[in-house]
C-alpha cells in the first residue's frame, strides 16, 4: 500500500518529465529538418548558411539522424501519441530524404570527376594531424618573425622533378594559421609536391599592400632556404583558399606583369608556373558589394583596405586579381562551393570567364551543396574532390622536369 502511495506521489513529476522530453524530441527533430532544408535551399537567410555548413560536409550523418527520428515516430505511434508521431514522421522524412539527396549529388559529382571516395570521406572524420617536417624563419617584418612550415615528399620521390607549392592560408585577412590545412599539405607532399605554408601579416592595420608583399618576400627568401632539404625551388605554384586564394591569384598575376611590390626585396622572384584559388576573394569591390555572410564580406574588405571602394578605389584595384587579368597568364584553377555565402559562385565564375576571354587557361569547378571553406573538413566528399582536382591540375599544368 505504501509503495502504491509513493508511486502515485511521483506520478505528476514523471508525467512532467515525460512531456518535457517529448517537447524536446519534437523541437530537436524540427531543427534537424530545418538544417537539411537550409542545405537544399541555401538562399534562406541564416538557416541556409547554417544548414550548408553542417549538412554539406557530413550528409550521411543527417541521413542517420532522419532514420533515428523515424524510429522515434514509430515508437510514438505504437504508444498512441499520434500528434507526436505525425510531427516526427514529417521531420524524419524531410531530414532523411533531403540529406540523401545531398549525399547522392555529391557522390555523383565525385564520380563525374573520377574521384575515388573512401568510407572515411563519407563518414566525415576530422582532419588528421600532420605537423611540418621543418619550420623556417623567412623574414622579420613590422616587429614580427614570419615563419613557414615545410612538408617534404617521402624519400622515394624525386623532389626536384616537381615544383614547390607555396600555400597561403585563409582567414579573412585577419585570422588563420599556416598550419590550418596541414592534412592537405601532407597529402600533397606524399604525392610528390613539397609544400611550404607561410605566415603573412594580418589586419589590423590595413594590409592591402603588406600581405601580398609578404607572400612575395616568402617566395624570394624561401627559394634559398629550402635548398638544404633537397628541394628545387626554381619552379613554384601558388595555392590558397579564401583570403589566401585572393593573395595567391593577385601575387601570381602581379609577378607576371611586374606591377606589384615585395616587403623585403626590390628584385621580384619569377612568377609561379601555375596558381590555384579556392573560393577566392579575387574581386574585393564585388565582395564588398555582395556583403555576404551577415555583413562579414564588407567587414573584412574594409579592414583590409582601410575603407570603402569609394574611399580607396586604387587599393581595391591593387589587391584584386580581377584587375590584373591579361593575355599570357599562367594556368589557373578556380574551385568554389556552389552554395558559398561569402564569396558568391558567380564572382569566381566571372574570373574564370575573364581569363578565358583573355585566352588564358582557366579551370573552374563548383562543388554541390558546399559553402565557404567547405574542404576544411579533410575527410569529406567535397574535401576529397577539392584535393583531387588540385593534384590533377598540378600534374597537368606543371609536368615533371
Amino acid at each position: 500500500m505504501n509503495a502504491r502511495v509513493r508511486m502515485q506521489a511521483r506520478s505528476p513529476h514523471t508525467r512532467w518529465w515525460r512531456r518535457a522530453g517529448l517537447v524536446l524530441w519534437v523541437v530537436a527533430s524540427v531543427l534537424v529538418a530545418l538544417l537539411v532544408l537550409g542545405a537544399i535551399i541555401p538562399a534562406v537567410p541564416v538557416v541556409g548558411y547554417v544548414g550548408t555548413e553542417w549538412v554539406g560536409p557530413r550528409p550521411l550523418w543527417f541521413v542517420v539522424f532522419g532514420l533515428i527520428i523515424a524510429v522515434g515516430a514509430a515508437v510514438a505511434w505504437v504508444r498512441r501519441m499520434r500528434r507526436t508521431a505525425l510531427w516526427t514522421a514529417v521531420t524524419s522524412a524531410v531530414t532523411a530524404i533531403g540529406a540523401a539527396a545531398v549525399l547522392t549529388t555529391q557522390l555523383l559529382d565525385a564520380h563525374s570527376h573520377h574521384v575515388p571516395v573512401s568510407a572515411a570521406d563519407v563518414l566525415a572524420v576530422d582532419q588528421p594531424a600532420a605537423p611540418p617536417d621543418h619550420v623556417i624563419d623567412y623574414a622579420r617584418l613590422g616587429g614580427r618573425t614570419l615563419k613557414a612550415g615545410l612538408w617534404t615528399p617521402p624519400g622515394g620521390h624525386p623532389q626536384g622533378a616537381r615544383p614547390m607549392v607555396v600555400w597561403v592560408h585563409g582567414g579573412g585577412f585577419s585570422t588563420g594559421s599556416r598550419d590550418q590545412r596541414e592534412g592537405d599539405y601532407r597529402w600533397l607532399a606524399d604525392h610528390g609536391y613539397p609544400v611550404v605554408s607561410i605566415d603573412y601579416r594580418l589586419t589590423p592595420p590595413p594590409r592591402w599592400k603588406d600581405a601580398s608583399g609578404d607572400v612575395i618576400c616568402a617566395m624570394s627568401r624561401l627559394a634559398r632556404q629550402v635548398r638544404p632539404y633537397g628541394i628545387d625551388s626554381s619552379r613554384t605554384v601558388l595555392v590558397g583558399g579564401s583570403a589566401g586564394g585572393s593573395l595567391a591569384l593577385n601575387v601570381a598575376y602581379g609577378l607576371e606583369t611586374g606591377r606589384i611590390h615585395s616587403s623585403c626585396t626590390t628584385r621580384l622572384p619569377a612568377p609561379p608556373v601555375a596558381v590555384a584559388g579556392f573560393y577566392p576573394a579575387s574581386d574585393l569591390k564585388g565582395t564588398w558589394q555582395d556583403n555576404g555572410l551577415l555583413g562579414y564580406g564588407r567587414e573584412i574588405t574594409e579592414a583590409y583596405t582601410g575603407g570603402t571602394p569609394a574611399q580607396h578605389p586604387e587599393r581595391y584595384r591593387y589587391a584584386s586579381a580581377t584587375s590584373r587579368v591579361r593575355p599570357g597568364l599562367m594556368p589557373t584553377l578556380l574551385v568554389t562551393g556552389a552554395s558559398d555565402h561569402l564569396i558568391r559562385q558567380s564572382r569566381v565564375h566571372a574570373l574564370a570567364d575573364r581569363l578565358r576571354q583573355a585566352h588564358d587557361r582557366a579551370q573552374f569547378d563548383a562543388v554541390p551543396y558546399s559553402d565557404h571553406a567547405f574542404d576544411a573538413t579533410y575527410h569529406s566528399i567535397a574535401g576529397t574532390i577539392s584535393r583531387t582536382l588540385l593534384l590533377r591540375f598540378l600534374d597537368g599544368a606543371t609536368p615533371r622536369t
Side-chain angles (χ1 to χ4, degrees):
M1 188 68 179
N2 289 338
R4 185 179 300 174
V5 170
R6 285 197 299 269
M7 289 178 64
Q8 290 176 349
R10 285 198 300 263
S11 60
H13 297 286
T14 302
R15 287 197 298 269
W16 188 89
W17 281 110
R18 182 178 176 183
R19 289 173 183 172
L22 288 174
V23 170
L24 289 174
W25 175 254
V26 172
V27 169
S29 69
V30 170
L31 289 176
V32 171
L34 284 175
L35 288 177
V36 174
L37 281 176
I40 298 292
I41 313 173
V44 178
V46 183
V47 174
Y49 165 66
V50 178
T52 308
E53 280 282 302
W54 278 88
V55 181
R58 50 190 74 82
L60 180 61
W61 290 18
F62 285 84
V63 173
V64 174
F65 292 159
L67 296 177
I68 292 172
I69 295 169
V71 171
V75 172
W77 185 266
V78 169
R79 294 188 176 182
R80 300 189 178 185
M81 295 179 286
R82 306 302 192 200
R83 191 174 299 175
T84 301
L86 289 173
W87 268 104
T88 51
V90 171
T91 56
S92 70
V94 170
T95 301
I97 295 172
V102 174
L103 176 63
T104 302
T105 303
Q106 290 187 346
L107 288 172
L108 289 174
D109 188 64
H111 178 74
S112 70
H113 287 98
H114 306 288
V115 173
V117 176
S118 69
D121 298 328
V122 177
L123 293 171
V125 182
D126 287 339
Q127 178 163 314
D133 298 308
H134 309 279
V135 177
I136 303 169
D137 296 350
Y138 76 83
R140 185 164 180 81
L141 299 168
R144 180 190 170 191
T145 300
L146 300 181
K147 301 176 182 288
L150 172 61
W151 286 257
T152 57
H157 283 281
Q159 295 181 3
R162 285 176 168 166
M164 180 176 70
V165 173
V166 178
W167 198 295
V168 190
H169 71 78
F173 305 108
S174 61
T175 62
S177 157
R178 67 178 182 273
D179 297 323
Q180 69 185 173
R181 303 296 293 277
E182 58 184 18
D184 293 316
Y185 313 151
R186 181 73 266 160
W187 186 83
L188 282 174
D190 288 345
H191 284 81
Y193 290 95
V195 177
V196 288
S197 180
I198 62 172
D199 289 336
Y200 57 91
R201 285 173 289 175
L202 305 172
T203 62
R207 298 294 190 186
W208 60 277
K209 192 174 183 180
D210 295 339
S212 57
D214 293 352
V215 175
I216 297 171
C217 177
M219 294 175 68
S220 300
R221 296 280 178 84
L222 290 169
R224 299 187 302 272
Q225 291 174 294
V226 299
R227 288 172 189 164
Y229 305 105
I231 295 172
D232 177 9
S233 61
S234 61
R235 296 187 304 152
T236 60
V237 177
L238 276 172
V239 180
S242 192
S246 171
L247 287 166
L249 294 166
N250 195 50
V251 167
Y253 301 163
L255 288 174
E256 193 66 65
T257 62
R259 297 177 180 176
I260 198 166
H261 305 282
S262 170
S263 297
C264 65
T265 179
T266 56
R267 183 177 180 180
L268 297 178
V273 296
V275 61
F278 293 83
Y279 32 87
S282 56
D283 177 6
L284 291 183
K285 183 178 179 180
T287 301
W288 186 90
Q289 291 172 337
D290 295 339
N291 198 22
L293 210 57
L294 305 177
Y296 184 60
R298 195 161 291 182
E299 177 186 332
I300 61 173
T301 51
E302 290 186 8
Y304 186 54
T305 61
T308 67
Q311 293 171 318
H312 301 293
E314 74 290 347
R315 296 183 181 184
Y316 277 79
R317 283 193 298 270
Y318 183 90
S320 296
T322 51
S323 66
R324 301 181 185 274
V325 173
R326 68 168 185 83
L329 295 176
M330 66 288 294
T332 299
L333 171 67
L334 298 169
V335 181
T336 192
S339 303
D340 197 314
H341 285 80
L342 178 59
I343 307 299
R344 293 181 181 176
Q345 177 186 339
S346 59
R347 296 289 181 188
V348 184
H349 197 276
L351 175 58
D353 287 341
R354 290 187 65 173
L355 289 166
R356 291 164 183 161
Q357 289 167 6
H359 304 289
D360 294 320
R361 178 180 165 188
Q363 177 185 336
F364 170 83
D365 282 282
V367 182
Y369 297 112
S370 297
D371 210 321
H372 198 71
F374 62 87
D375 47 0
T377 304
Y378 179 87
H379 281 301
S380 64
I381 300 170
T384 299
I385 293 172
S386 177
R387 281 195 303 279
T388 306
L389 290 176
L390 175 58
L391 180 62
R392 290 175 182 169
F393 171 74
L394 293 175
D395 288 344
T398 61
R400 290 173 179 265
T401 56

